[in-house]
Amino acid sequence: MKSEKTGPYIKDPGGQEHALTTRTITLGRAVECEVVIASKSVSREHARIRQDGHRWLVEDLGSTNGTFLNEERVIGDLELRDGDALKVGEVTFLFHDPDTTIRKNPISDLEVDLVAGVVRVNRKIVTLSPKEYQLLAYLFERRGQVCSKDDIGRAVWPEYEAGGIFDYQIENLVRRLRTRIEFDPAVPQLLLTIRGLGYKLMIA
């Protein structure tokens, strides 16, 4: 049966929907919590979901086994978005906000944290090979600029002598990276080929 809820809610593994009807919702094993989770992996007061204007934020309350948003550990406040997976201990909830305007966007949401060495696509961490990450980091530092194959070769393969990298090696690496970051690798929107010149990363 289709849900008739009009406000945000979280759905537990059993399919039960817990409406976020107050500005603050506590999840935990204690009976005082708004959402009681009968699991030994869950602390008495494990996590809190709270409203901040039009946003909903989640924070961990110093739990033993941690709280995870889309497989990333929650440290501080993280914003919830429609379709997010919220793992409390070993129990996973799905966050839904029916009021969210759904828009199919063919461009992936790419985040590159060069300090932490972390890459996220649509808010989920993706694992890259060392060469894939070096290529992305090089292009990200020069986003919006055209980078030649020669420059990419020197940056990504510094262990080789000048001229020791062939075009097909760079092209294959670009192809592999696109499968990691593009919504449709066959129609790239982020990592563009500039014919005769090189490649350009289009990201704000």
Side-chain angles (χ1 to χ4, degrees):
M1 181 177 177
K2 187 177 180 180
S3 172
E4 295 181 355
K5 289 182 171 59
T6 57
Y9 62 93
I10 54 175
K11 181 184 290 187
D12 64 29
Q16 182 177 356
E17 297 173 0
H18 306 268
L20 306 183
T21 55
T22 60
R23 293 179 62 86
T24 302
I25 303 290
T26 302
L27 299 85
R29 205 171 67 249
V31 295
E32 296 83 9
C33 295
E34 284 77 14
V35 178
V36 179
I37 308 170
S39 170
K40 293 181 179 179
S41 67
V42 176
S43 299
R44 286 183 56 79
E45 292 189 350
H46 196 107
R48 179 181 294 123
I49 297 174
R50 63 182 178 85
Q51 188 175 15
D52 179 24
H54 296 293
R55 304 186 305 160
W56 287 91
L57 307 175
V58 62
E59 62 176 317
D60 184 77
L61 298 177
S63 66
T64 300
N65 294 315
T67 303
F68 295 81
L69 181 60
N70 298 326
E71 301 182 2
E72 181 178 357
R73 188 162 193 143
V74 174
I75 298 174
D77 293 338
L78 290 181
E79 182 178 356
L80 290 164
R81 296 182 185 175
D82 187 62
D84 279 348
L86 179 64
K87 187 177 181 183
V88 180
E90 295 299 324
V91 182
T92 300
F93 294 82
L94 293 178
F95 174 79
H96 291 288
D97 187 354
D99 293 334
T100 300
T101 300
I102 299 175
R103 178 170 61 92
K104 294 293 184 180
N105 190 346
I107 303 177
S108 297
D109 181 10
L110 176 64
E111 302 174 54
V112 182
D113 187 338
L114 296 178
V115 176
V118 174
V119 177
R120 297 181 182 87
V121 176
N122 297 327
R123 303 179 71 232
K124 296 184 179 181
I125 293 177
V126 296
T127 302
L128 303 179
S129 71
K131 292 300 184 187
E132 289 167 352
Y133 179 79
Q134 288 175 31
L135 172 60
L136 180 58
Y138 179 79
L139 294 173
F140 181 76
E141 289 180 323
R142 296 159 181 80
R143 51 194 179 277
Q145 303 176 25
V146 178
C147 300
S148 70
K149 288 183 178 179
D150 287 342
D151 289 340
I152 290 173
R154 284 190 290 268
V156 179
W157 286 273
E159 66 272 20
Y160 284 81
E161 296 292 333
I165 299 300
F166 297 97
D167 284 357
Y168 78 88
Q169 292 173 278
I170 297 173
E171 291 163 1
N172 286 340
L173 183 60
V174 168
R175 190 176 301 113
R176 294 200 302 271
L177 180 58
R178 281 174 172 157
T179 66
R180 299 284 193 270
I181 67 173
E182 294 281 4
F183 180 85
D184 182 356
V187 187
Q189 302 291 321
L190 295 172
L191 179 44
L192 306 181
T193 299
I194 309 301
R195 293 192 179 280
L197 296 176
Y199 299 96
K200 178 166 62 172
L201 186 67
M202 298 298 295
I203 180 175

